[in-house]
Amino acid sequence: MSLVVGQLAAWRFLVGSSVLSRAAVTSYEDLGLFAFGLPGKMVVAGTIIIQNIGAMSSYLLIIETELPAAISEFLSGDYSGSWYLNGQTLLIIMCVGIVFPLTLLPKIGFLGYTSSLSFFFMVFFAVVIIIKKWSIPCPLRSNYIEQYFQISNATDDCKPKLFHFSKESAYAIPTMAFSFLCHTSILPIYCELQSPSKKRMQNVTNTAIALSFLIYFLSALFGYLTFYDKVASELLQDYSKYLPHDVVVMTVKLCILFALLLTVPLIHFPARKALMMMFFSNFPFSWIHHSLITLALNIIIVLLAMYVPDIRNVFGIVGASTSTCLIFVFPGLFYLKLSREDFLSWKKLGAFVLLIFGILVGNFSLAFTIFNWINK
């Protein structure tokens, strides 16, 4: 819950910093420029580019890996070798037919419809997880299941634990923080609001983060209450093992993959804007520049997804630092720099706490991620 409060505070400081700058701030990079000049702008832009390319490549890698398996579950018989079960072919088709046209859109507001569809898919996912809680008995009884879960029939397996810590817990904080990472889109959305104001933007952020938190919380809670200690990191894998060929579960898997696919254009928008501001900030808007950078970014993320199999491990380490900078460090730092309030004021103290919290979380996550990666 503290992470959610921290996210809301960070969003508030971002919008507050844009107001304090007393200039036409339309992006995260603009804040870096007004706070620390050109170096600040370049650092923010570089951080956004690295973070978002890593996220988009990771999402496309998941689609390349999981989409053929999700489609094959609907098929009976041997269709191995078919083009529609080839991950790279499907990835190229999806990117050319869906991702590239959506990323060409000049304003982020145009992606509101695809975002609503993606959110609907996540709601469907949460509803199915809740309903399946009463479809799967505990303890799990099936020779097929015992093959995967190595379970006993003891009723102790069905008692929830309030706290459980392991070396994997090190990934919990950065994962939860990343799940709410949309700070790079906050200012573009703010600028595209009708009659933008801090109050209206706060209502948008409160609604968005509350709905996201509710979906994540219900999915995690009922997923755990279904499988308890045997729950997998990829929740739907458990349902596929216990309920093979269940049409609803198979449909949910496809919906989640399309939700990831529709998220890529949203992440693409800030990355393209960062590149535009780095190289073409002194030029008027040009469809040629816009299209070429969009095409180049799409080619880069597709190639990374197709030919760098350990891309998630590489960007997992990079993301542990870039994510916390974008989420916690930069919002607090920019507000401290731009605000003329006394340092002991509540807002400045809050910004300072957010800054320190981000530094601690980033270092902690980075250290444990590297430690676990080396051990593996």
Side-chain angles (χ1 to χ4, degrees), residues 125-126 128-130 132 136 149 215-228 230-242 249 252-253 256:
F125 166 74
V128 170
I129 296 299
I130 294 171
K132 291 297 181 182
I136 300 176
F149 290 96
I215 296 299
Y216 292 141
F217 177 75
L218 291 176
S219 302
L221 176 63
F222 282 89
Y224 173 70
L225 293 177
T226 302
F227 297 102
Y228 296 94
K230 305 302 183 292
V231 67
S233 58
E234 296 185 27
L235 187 57
L236 286 176
Q237 286 186 354
D238 287 344
Y239 293 92
S240 297
K241 292 172 183 176
Y242 189 83
V249 173
V252 168
K253 290 179 71 174
I256 294 301

Side-chain angles (χ1 to χ4, degrees), residues 167-171 367-376:
K167 64 178 183 179
E168 300 298 328
S169 301
Y171 295 100
F368 272 88
T369 301
I370 294 174
F371 176 77
N372 288 333
W373 192 33
I374 292 173
N375 284 344
K376 289 180 180 180

Side-chain angles (χ1 to χ4, degrees), residues 176-318:
M176 288 188 291
F178 179 79
S179 65
F180 293 98
L181 177 56
C182 59
H183 297 58
T184 54
S185 303
I186 289 296
L187 293 176
I189 292 173
Y190 173 68
C191 294
E192 292 185 22
L193 288 177
Q194 291 183 357
S195 304
S197 66
K198 289 180 66 175
K199 183 178 180 180
R200 296 192 67 178
M201 192 64 210
Q202 192 64 48
N203 291 334
V204 171
T205 55
N206 290 345
T207 302
I209 204 166
L211 291 174
S212 299
F213 175 76
L214 182 63
I215 296 299
Y216 292 141
F217 177 75
L218 291 176
S219 302
L221 176 63
F222 282 89
Y224 173 70
L225 293 177
T226 302
F227 297 102
Y228 296 94
D229 288 346
K230 305 302 183 292
V231 67
S233 58
E234 296 185 27
L235 187 57
L236 286 176
Q237 286 186 354
D238 287 344
Y239 293 92
S240 297
K241 292 172 183 176
Y242 189 83
L243 301 171
H245 308 298
D246 184 288
V247 176
V248 176
V249 173
M250 293 188 297
T251 304
V252 168
K253 290 179 71 174
L254 281 178
C255 288
I256 294 301
L257 290 173
F258 276 101
L260 285 178
L261 190 70
L262 294 176
T263 303
V264 173
L266 284 170
I267 306 174
H268 186 282
F269 186 92
R272 181 185 60 219
K273 189 159 189 173
L275 283 169
M276 294 282 284
M277 294 194 70
M278 288 181 72
F279 299 107
F280 303 108
S281 59
N282 296 325
F283 295 86
F285 176 81
S286 166
W287 274 106
I288 295 177
H289 295 159
H290 177 89
S291 302
L292 288 177
I293 290 182
T294 300
L295 179 61
L297 270 177
N298 276 280
I299 292 174
I300 289 171
I301 61 176
V302 170
L303 291 177
L304 287 173
M306 290 172 60
Y307 298 110
V308 184
D310 60 345
I311 187 70
R312 278 181 286 185
N313 292 330
V314 174
F315 280 106
I317 292 180
V318 176

Side-chain angles (χ1 to χ4, degrees), residues 141-149 240-244:
R141 290 188 177 92
S142 168
N143 291 333
Y144 183 83
I145 295 305
E146 289 174 4
Q147 173 185 352
Y148 289 100
F149 290 96
S240 297
K241 292 172 183 176
Y242 189 83
L243 301 171

